[in-house]
Amino acid sequence: MCVGKALTGGYMTLAATLCTAAVAERLDGPLMHGPTFMANPLATAAAIASTDLLENGTWREDVARIERGLTAGLADVPGSRVLGAIGVIELDSPVDVAAMTAVAVSHGVWLRPFRNLIYTMPPYVTDDADVALICEAMVACASS
């Protein structure tokens, strides 16, 4: 099984291939992969920090808290929806990436549009004030 992205919470490129010992004994150089599978120290440290956050058991409460903040912050926006720690505003037309990026950055937030969507998936360590700031930026982007 190949796993990636979630190992570092999406912050660094790092992946791992999981297999039985019997399969691992047969793997050889021809199956070598690039930097994503080479366990660089920074990506490995990010993975350890990310998995520690998941193992400490508070992530469920963090997701619920972020969901409440996103729901409150996007409640009055047509086309908005929230599920867990994911907030989305669906627009009627494709996002103007340059304009939206300028608005988001002016609010101190980085958002990544996708087609006609403005969305956020804040890290579980995001505090309530930052969730509110992200919502303000999303609303400003949707209004621009």
Side-chain angles (χ1 to χ4, degrees):
M1 175 181 0
C2 183
V3 295
K5 286 190 183 181
L7 287 174
T8 67
Y11 286 99
M12 301 284 303
T13 56
L14 180 70
T17 302
L18 310 177
C19 60
T20 65
V23 171
E25 288 173 10
R26 297 201 174 259
L27 294 179
D28 205 313
L31 297 177
M32 180 64 164
H33 292 278
T36 300
F37 289 92
M38 297 177 92
N40 77 70
L42 181 57
T44 303
I48 291 168
S50 181
T51 54
D52 282 350
L53 287 172
L54 294 176
E55 286 181 344
N56 77 17
T58 65
W59 66 269
R60 288 178 182 87
E61 292 84 13
D62 292 331
V63 169
R65 178 184 51 75
I66 291 168
E67 181 177 38
R68 287 190 299 273
L70 292 173
T71 300
L74 302 176
D76 297 330
V77 182
S80 67
R81 56 189 181 272
V82 175
L83 179 62
I86 304 169
V88 178
I89 300 174
E90 185 172 359
L91 305 175
D92 293 330
S93 59
V95 172
D96 179 338
V97 176
M100 192 214 67
T101 299
V103 171
V105 169
S106 75
H107 282 80
V109 172
W110 183 259
L111 299 170
R112 182 175 167 256
F114 180 71
R115 296 184 324 224
N116 64 328
L117 306 174
I118 301 168
Y119 69 93
T120 186
M121 296 172 60
Y124 299 159
V125 296
T126 305
D127 65 28
D128 294 341
D130 283 339
V131 171
L133 182 63
I134 290 167
C135 289
E136 289 172 21
M138 291 177 72
V139 171
C141 287
S143 302
S144 63

